[in-house]
Amino acid sequence: MTGPYQRTALPKPEDSGTTPEAFPTPWEDDADPSRSWAWDDMHMPFALTPLAADYVRALGQGFNLAPQLFGGFPQRWHARVWNGYAYFAHDANTTEDTKADTEARWLAVHRERAEVTTAYWADEVLPELKGLESRLRTLPVEDLAPTQLAAGWDEAWAAVRRMWELHFCIILGPYQILEDLADLYEKAVPGASPGESLRLVQGTRNDLLDAELGIERLAEEAAARPAIRQLLAAQAGGETGGDHGSARTRPITDEIRELPGGPAFLVELDAFLARHGHLGQAFDDLALPSWAEAPDLLLTQLGMHLARPPEPAEARRARLAADAASLADGVRVRLATQPETLQQFEHLLSLARAIGPLTEGHNYWIDRLAQARIRSLVMRVGQRLKTDRCLADADDILFLTRDEIRDLILTPRGTGELVAMRRAEHATQRTLTPPREVGRASTPGTDRFDGERFTSTEPDVLRGTGASAGVVRGPARVTLGPEDFGRIRPGDIIVCPSSNPSWVPVFVVAAGLVTNTGGILSHAAVVAREFGLPAVVGTGDATSRIADGRMIEIDGATGFVRLL
């Protein structure tokens, strides 16, 4: 894989200083120095190109509708990108006299939204999302006059912002109800491990299961065609154990088309991509393509399924659902003499099972879909600008800003020197180690989404949060993005910055998961539990402390990772 999304390593702390001189942060407004800015290494762990940075700014604007819409709350979020790295800050905009009351009212809003989330999602949010993505997907970039395309460009970015506004409106209830369920469970079951309460909502039928079932159907179609099966298994290293795709000179789809049964298989692949092809990007980085844009990413992972078929998705779902039911029965026994608390538990459990899956469903429908659609449009505009001799390559567009691209559409001109300078600057930025915080020191505090960051004093022990129970040993497979997915073998323990629904195909292959970031409600933790995958999240620096191939042992209940 080539291009600006190619990653080779995460920088280690000793690779770069974090002084203001090494990492300048020019303030955008007078209040910036007084704000606590946190690097979002969960969603954007690598340096962003200029256009990807603009995408993060559009994303950040979406944070602020929900507080206004659901009660006129004064709080505001701010997004900045310094030296290619994304930072966010929050202004409560309250006084000491009003802070407690405002926080209580905002908590009440979350719980109120939980009660109406099912209808709100089905009747309002999902239909609007589908309309917005259709506008992005069908904009006739190639046929519009420059002034029309410039207007369409602005409208596309407005649509992206709106998708992210809907994102932060819909997630209030699902996350809160899981928080409340976890609080009640941990009181009822003293000493429970951090992730144990969320096993209560395992085994649901959801969008990720649907995507996995689609991958299973593709694997069956490929297995029924021996030549295709052999090609894909070899591509994934299943036949030889060698490096995937080491000698490949053209897309796998081109080779499949020439094989017996190839055209029919590609029809099935196109049907899958029409439904789930917006997945595939490991992080919220506009430089990353989706499966629809780069189907070889998916086909390499499909080869792993063919080489070592995993447990069928429906069998695993049923097993986890039975485990959840048994766990819930245990809580009912504990609360048998507390009827009011038992009634509250039943209500929370029912609601959590109904809307809890949206903690990942919204990522499937908004995070991944918005990114895939705006990137596809961006690359079509890039191709047009290449045709107009403004760009040498379509992906040069990633090194321009949104406003620069609009001006280029209206007034075509060469950008070779500017793009070359930006590419060199981006390469330098990727070697930096961003400070975790800039500006005013933050008040210590954690939540179940981001989680606590632990510091280990033992050289061969890392500590994180136990997110999905189970003890497992295996070789660490340091995985920094989709280009590393083909290296994962059955029994490997994935070590990565974070994960999202795009990691579904490799989760059924791996034996365990360790992430740098996250808590028990993070995307990595939620998906791991749905796959019954032992997981430790929030270790802080696992990708730099654990060597690729090192044998490790993880305990998904206690959060300990031991280097063997």
Side-chain angles (χ1 to χ4, degrees):
M1 182 177 291
T2 61
Y5 45 82
Q6 186 177 24
R7 311 298 183 193
T8 56
L10 268 175
K12 298 180 181 180
E14 62 268 24
D15 290 340
S16 171
T18 57
T19 64
E21 294 77 17
F23 198 92
T25 54
W27 308 120
E28 294 186 19
D29 67 47
D30 292 341
D32 277 359
S34 65
R35 294 177 173 131
S36 299
W37 297 94
W39 171 34
D40 190 349
D41 56 339
M42 180 186 295
H43 299 94
M44 309 97 175
F46 299 102
L48 302 166
T49 65
L51 192 58
D54 276 346
Y55 178 71
V56 168
R57 294 183 184 97
L59 177 161
Q61 291 172 335
F63 280 58
N64 290 317
L65 176 65
Q68 299 175 55
L69 186 64
F70 301 130
F73 287 87
Q75 62 178 289
R76 295 293 180 270
W77 285 90
H78 307 274
R80 301 284 186 267
V81 179
W82 288 302
N83 309 303
Y85 293 89
Y87 284 79
F88 293 90
H90 178 256
D91 284 341
N93 293 325
T94 59
T95 66
E96 287 301 317
D97 292 339
T98 62
K99 181 180 178 180
D101 177 67
T102 300
E103 290 178 350
R105 289 193 301 112
W106 185 230
L107 178 60
V109 166
H110 284 64
R111 290 174 174 151
E112 290 166 4
R113 297 309 303 169
E115 302 293 339
V116 300
T117 291
T118 299
Y120 181 51
W121 173 254
D123 300 339
E124 298 183 46
V125 175
L126 194 54
E128 185 175 357
L129 284 172
K130 291 180 178 180
L132 291 166
E133 78 83 19
S134 178
R135 284 163 52 189
L136 291 167
R137 177 169 40 84
T138 60
L139 184 70
V141 168
E142 299 77 13
D143 302 326
L144 295 176
T147 54
Q148 294 173 314
L149 180 55
W153 178 254
D154 290 340
E155 291 169 3
W157 284 91
V160 166
R161 173 176 173 170
R162 177 59 181 166
M163 292 176 82
W164 280 97
E165 287 177 342
L166 293 171
H167 173 289
F168 292 105
C169 287
I170 195 62
I171 65 173
L172 302 182
Y175 279 106
Q176 187 59 55
I177 212 67
L178 293 179
E179 289 273 6
D180 289 347
L181 179 63
D183 285 342
L184 190 152
Y185 182 90
E186 289 167 11
K187 291 178 181 177
V189 187
S193 62
E196 185 173 306
S197 61
L198 280 308
R199 288 169 51 207
L200 289 163
V201 294
Q202 289 178 161
T204 61
R205 289 186 167 84
N206 52 56
D207 295 304
L208 300 191
L209 178 68
D210 188 51
E212 189 185 355
L213 291 171
I215 291 171
E216 283 187 356
R217 287 191 290 271
L218 277 180
E220 291 170 1
E221 293 290 337
R225 298 168 170 85
I228 296 175
R229 184 191 190 285
Q230 183 177 7
L231 172 66
L232 294 181
Q235 169 66 13
E239 300 291 337
T240 65
D243 292 338
H244 73 286
S246 57
R248 184 157 308 284
T249 59
R250 58 180 179 147
I252 306 174
T253 49
D254 288 353
E255 296 187 39
I256 290 175
R257 189 170 287 107
E258 299 169 358
L259 296 175
F265 174 79
L266 292 179
V267 170
E268 297 294 332
L269 175 63
D270 287 344
F272 175 87
L273 293 176
R275 185 174 180 86
H276 302 294
H278 58 282
L279 301 179
Q281 326 92 328
F283 308 110
D284 293 330
D285 184 343
L286 202 60
L288 295 170
S290 66
W291 289 337
E293 186 180 347
D296 280 16
L297 293 172
L298 174 65
L299 290 170
T300 296
Q301 295 157 44
L302 189 65
M304 292 189 287
H305 285 239
L306 292 167
R308 303 281 181 87
E311 179 185 11
E314 181 56 35
R316 188 196 66 242
R317 185 209 62 77
R319 174 171 56 80
L320 293 176
D323 179 59
S326 176
L327 193 66
D329 286 342
V331 178
R332 292 182 180 107
V333 170
R334 286 176 175 270
L335 298 178
T337 60
Q338 305 172 52
E340 291 185 2
T341 305
L342 178 59
Q343 184 179 15
Q344 182 187 13
F345 170 74
E346 297 291 5
H347 177 70
L348 291 175
L349 180 61
S350 176
L351 201 50
R353 287 177 172 171
I355 69 173
L358 279 176
T359 57
E360 289 312 301
H362 83 270
N363 193 301
Y364 173 95
W365 279 105
I366 303 177
D367 305 45
R368 307 278 61 82
L369 188 62
Q371 184 172 329
R373 293 295 180 258
I374 191 63
R375 176 182 157 90
S376 177
L377 186 146
V378 161
M379 298 311 291
R380 288 193 288 133
V381 172
Q383 186 59 48
R384 173 164 167 161
L385 293 176
K386 178 183 176 182
T387 301
D388 291 343
R389 300 179 183 276
C390 300
L391 304 175
D393 295 297
D395 69 355
D396 284 348
I397 195 171
L398 295 168
F399 295 90
L400 303 175
T401 68
R402 171 181 156 187
D403 290 341
E404 288 170 344
I405 294 163
R406 188 183 193 281
D407 290 343
L408 208 58
I409 292 169
L410 294 171
T411 309
R413 59 196 180 278
T415 59
E417 290 185 6
L418 177 61
V419 168
M421 180 189 73
R422 296 266 178 84
R423 282 186 179 273
E425 183 179 53
H426 180 63
T428 299
Q429 289 172 343
R430 290 195 304 177
T431 68
L432 298 175
T433 301
R436 191 157 301 283
E437 294 183 343
V438 298
R440 179 174 57 84
S442 64
T443 302
T446 59
D447 55 40
R448 288 189 173 96
F449 182 78
D450 194 15
E452 184 177 356
R453 303 291 177 92
F454 297 93
T455 300
S456 174
T457 58
E458 300 179 59
D460 292 333
V461 177
L462 285 74
R463 174 80 187 279
T465 297
S468 183
V471 177
V472 63
R473 289 186 175 191
R477 193 61 58 214
V478 179
T479 306
L480 303 181
E483 68 274 13
D484 292 326
F485 285 1
R487 299 172 50 245
I488 299 169
R489 294 288 175 265
D492 285 354
I493 297 174
I494 297 172
V495 180
C496 61
S498 62
S499 69
N500 64 43
S502 293
W503 297 62
V504 163
V506 294
F507 275 13
V508 299
V509 175
L513 175 71
V514 179
T515 69
N516 291 346
T517 64
I520 64 170
L521 284 178
S522 65
H523 301 307
V526 173
V527 179
R529 284 191 297 271
E530 281 302 310
F531 284 83
L533 188 68
V536 176
V537 300
T539 60
D541 57 358
T543 54
S544 59
R545 286 189 59 189
I546 301 175
D548 187 66
R550 176 76 181 259
M551 289 295 295
I552 63 174
E553 178 184 89
I554 71 171
D555 188 330
T558 65
F560 282 98
V561 179
R562 302 184 186 279
L563 311 186
L564 303 177

